Amino acid sequence: MSLSTAPADPVAGIGAGGRSAPVEAPAEARRHELAAFLRSRRERIAPEQVGLPVTGRRRTPGLRREEVAQLAAVGVTWYTWLEQGRAIQVSVQVLDAVARALLLDRNERAHLFALAGADDPSPVQECATVTPAVRLMLDQFGPMPAAVVNSRYDILAHNHAYTHLAGDLEAQPFEDRNLLWMAFTPSRFQDVLVDVEVEREGMVARFRSAMADHSAEPAWKALVARLRQASPDFEAAWARHEVARPGNGVKRFLVPGAGLLSFDYTGLWLGPRAGSRMVVYTPRCEETRERLALLAAR
């Protein structure tokens, strides 16, 4: 069954009396939202903020459309159509110029490109910083395994208990400290992970879903290229185009010297955006709890 399949909504589009109600297409709704967003950003900027002279009385606050077009070096008619929500082609270069003309901050810029359905050539980079407070939390979770993982599946930090599942990560190059890489190439993680085929499918589906927001970023494209070259299994999974959203679940590991460890894993987001998260593995049974204690005592 496809991980991206969702049941149809039999109610959507039905109005009073059972008649079909007009439903705005997603692309049209996004264009209207884009138009409203551009107007709101234009109207908040005073001419003097962008070096334009104040001439005569203005009927509306902020910049005029022709002034935004001038600052962005685009045609007035074209910019007017963009603000009217018309179905026109928009290049990333023009969007970049409009973003600069409207003095958008990085969050507003990301919103602009998302509404336009375009890849930002200069995207907001996800911060990989792990604060001392987060490191303290990782240690406090011991003997339960825990790690900080970003949306690309890079392992940014981990506690000692996590090494029982993933091995000595400090001995590996940073580019190899990636759960997708470890699941599809020879590694301790691949060796001890039970149900590895099912787990791989889910990881690839979640990775593809996350990549929709990062498809223009070189690090994401480089990881996909490495995996496709290194693993025919990844190549096959990638070609299926399955997608899934992040979530919690169950994982099992068969660890030498300890036996079967069964966990519920929980992702704790470390910011307002779905980027880095702390993944904590909690024992599902008393046997796992006891075996973890034995591993911690070694």
Side-chain angles (χ1 to χ4, degrees):
M1 182 177 67
S2 171
L3 293 171
S4 59
T5 301
D9 184 353
V11 179
I14 304 299
R19 295 188 301 273
S20 296
V23 178
E24 191 173 37
E28 184 180 1
R30 194 168 61 240
R31 288 197 306 271
H32 289 171
E33 180 65 24
L34 172 61
F37 178 67
L38 288 172
R39 286 194 299 272
S40 71
R41 300 304 90 176
R42 171 172 61 83
E43 291 171 355
R44 72 176 182 175
I45 300 174
E48 55 267 28
Q49 286 181 264
V50 290
L52 294 176
V54 181
T55 57
R57 183 178 178 182
R58 291 175 176 254
R59 291 178 296 175
T60 58
L63 298 177
R64 300 185 177 102
R65 286 174 175 169
E66 56 267 27
E67 290 171 333
V68 176
Q70 175 189 338
L71 291 167
V74 300
V76 176
T77 300
W78 184 91
Y79 181 77
T80 299
W81 286 352
L82 188 64
E83 265 205 20
Q84 290 174 344
R86 297 199 188 187
I88 58 176
Q89 293 296 319
V90 187
S91 72
V92 295
Q93 292 82 7
V94 168
L95 287 172
D96 178 67
V98 169
R100 286 186 278 106
L102 293 175
L103 306 179
L104 301 187
D105 65 25
R106 64 181 196 172
N107 293 323
E108 292 168 332
R109 178 188 174 93
H111 188 59
L112 170 67
F113 277 84
L115 289 175
D119 292 328
D120 188 348
S122 302
V124 176
Q125 298 297 317
E126 184 176 301
C127 181
T129 302
V130 178
T131 66
V134 169
R135 291 189 180 278
L136 179 61
M137 289 173 63
L138 284 172
D139 292 337
Q140 292 296 313
F141 276 120
M144 294 186 297
V148 174
V149 181
N150 64 14
S151 54
R152 200 171 54 234
Y153 279 112
D154 296 323
I155 302 172
L156 306 180
H158 62 283
N159 63 11
H160 177 71
Y162 193 76
T163 62
H164 302 312
L165 310 180
D168 184 3
L169 294 171
E170 300 300 326
Q172 300 180 32
F174 180 79
E175 61 269 21
D176 292 349
R177 300 177 203 173
N178 177 280
L179 286 171
L180 265 177
W181 181 258
M182 291 158 57
F184 281 95
T185 63
S187 68
R188 161 81 173 201
F189 182 73
Q190 185 191 82
D191 290 341
V192 303
L193 181 61
V194 181
D195 311 311
V196 64
E197 299 299 331
V198 174
E199 298 295 346
R200 283 172 166 178
E201 291 286 336
M203 291 172 70
V204 172
R206 289 187 289 273
F207 176 80
R208 182 181 281 282
S209 181
M211 191 171 177
D213 293 327
H214 303 273
S215 57
E217 296 181 34
W220 288 72
K221 293 189 288 188
L223 176 59
V224 171
R226 284 186 75 207
L227 283 162
R228 294 180 69 177
Q229 184 175 20
S231 172
D233 291 333
F234 177 84
E235 175 73 22
W238 189 249
R240 285 190 281 274
H241 288 268
E242 303 286 4
V243 292
R245 303 303 300 170
N248 304 324
V250 176
K251 273 192 173 67
R252 300 187 300 159
F253 300 88
L254 189 59
V255 177
L260 181 65
L261 305 178
S262 181
F263 297 101
D264 290 303
Y265 66 88
T266 305
L268 309 173
W269 299 108
L270 299 180
R273 298 174 66 245
S276 298
R277 65 192 184 279
M278 183 181 298
V279 182
V280 183
Y281 292 82
T282 55
R284 302 197 77 221
C285 59
E286 188 58 34
E287 290 83 356
T288 296
R289 190 180 306 276
E290 292 172 357
R291 290 165 184 168
L292 274 179
L294 290 173
L295 287 172
R298 291 180 181 176

